[in-house]
Amino acid sequence: MPRTTDGDGTPVPQRLLAAATRLFAEQGYDRTSVQEIVEAAGVTKGALYHYFGSKDDLLHEVYARVLRVQQERLDAFANADAPVEERLRRAAADVVVTTIENLDDAMIFFRSMHHLSPEKNKQVRAERRRYHERFRALIEEGQETGVFSPATSADLVVDYHFGSIHHLSTWYSPEGPLTPTEVAAQLADLLLRALRP
């Protein structure tokens, strides 16, 4: 049975994910071998296959762990007792901040998603669709209550916002002039301005 932690208490699955994320970001998913991942994590192949059935599973988890956090946070914002404009603003800003905080994960995923097995690809699309539908429901709520303009379809508004988020990894730099919070606030403002009646 593989050890669950190393000497400093870091769980083996986290070590494997950290090593895989670094290697996928540096050299690409398709150019990274399982052997390189286990050597970087300081574990055996047996340990990797105990926690992850394949390299494909690691790629899926790189993205899924971020999406799980984002989904939990979106659900909390959507369920809050606040005006719909405020709930949408918080959700729109949060997905930007959490994406920037996990920029390598996002970059790896969008660059390598086509490497996932058909089954994993379908699963990821379903997870993303659930997130987008929850986000879209906030827009529709605002449109139905007259807070937001119905001139642009909620689907197009969602595509507009997430299209800009998916490109963050191509231009955002921590050394740049804007902090994650500032980028998030500006993109959320753009979204809300587009929805004003």
Side-chain angles (χ1 to χ4, degrees):
M1 180 81 175
R3 290 181 305 136
T4 56
T5 62
D6 66 2
D8 69 0
T10 304
V12 169
Q14 287 182 16
R15 289 165 54 203
L16 285 162
L17 276 168
T21 300
R22 181 174 55 77
L23 289 167
F24 293 165
E26 288 174 1
Q27 55 194 46
Y29 172 82
D30 53 338
R31 292 185 298 281
T32 301
S33 69
V34 168
Q35 187 62 39
E36 288 173 305
I37 294 168
V38 297
E39 285 176 7
V43 301
T44 64
K45 281 187 180 178
L48 183 146
Y49 292 124
H50 175 75
Y51 293 104
F52 302 97
S54 64
K55 192 172 82 160
D56 184 63
D57 287 343
L58 274 168
L59 176 60
H60 175 258
E61 185 58 23
V62 163
Y63 184 67
R65 64 184 172 177
V66 177
L67 188 55
R68 278 193 300 272
V69 169
Q70 290 176 330
Q71 184 71 58
E72 287 170 12
R73 292 172 65 87
L74 173 59
D75 289 341
F77 293 130
N79 293 330
D81 183 19
V84 67
E85 185 171 356
E86 186 57 36
R87 287 182 281 140
L88 181 62
R89 180 183 298 281
R90 289 178 188 166
D94 181 73
V95 70
V96 174
V97 171
T98 52
T99 297
I100 290 174
E101 287 173 347
N102 298 280
L103 216 50
D104 277 351
D105 304 58
M107 176 191 65
I108 290 162
F109 190 77
F110 290 112
R111 193 171 63 191
S112 307
M113 183 178 170
H114 63 283
H115 290 292
L116 286 174
S117 68
E119 180 185 329
K120 283 275 190 297
N121 201 300
K122 184 178 178 182
Q123 183 181 344
V124 164
R125 288 183 185 280
E127 291 162 354
R128 284 178 63 196
R129 188 166 47 253
R130 178 175 176 258
Y131 184 92
H132 286 186
E133 286 171 355
R134 185 75 158 138
F135 193 92
R136 185 183 67 222
L138 284 171
I139 296 167
E140 290 171 338
E141 179 187 338
Q143 289 176 327
E144 288 162 8
T145 56
V147 176
F148 301 146
S149 168
T152 306
S153 77
D155 281 330
L156 192 56
V157 175
V158 169
D159 288 344
Y160 161 79
H161 189 63
F162 286 94
S164 56
I165 290 166
H166 295 165
H167 286 286
L168 283 168
S169 64
T170 65
W171 67 266
Y172 182 79
S173 168
E175 290 79 41
L178 296 174
T179 68
T181 304
E182 288 169 336
V183 174
Q186 291 188 28
L187 288 177
D189 282 345
L190 273 174
L191 179 70
L192 270 294
R193 277 202 298 274
L195 284 166
R196 287 205 182 104

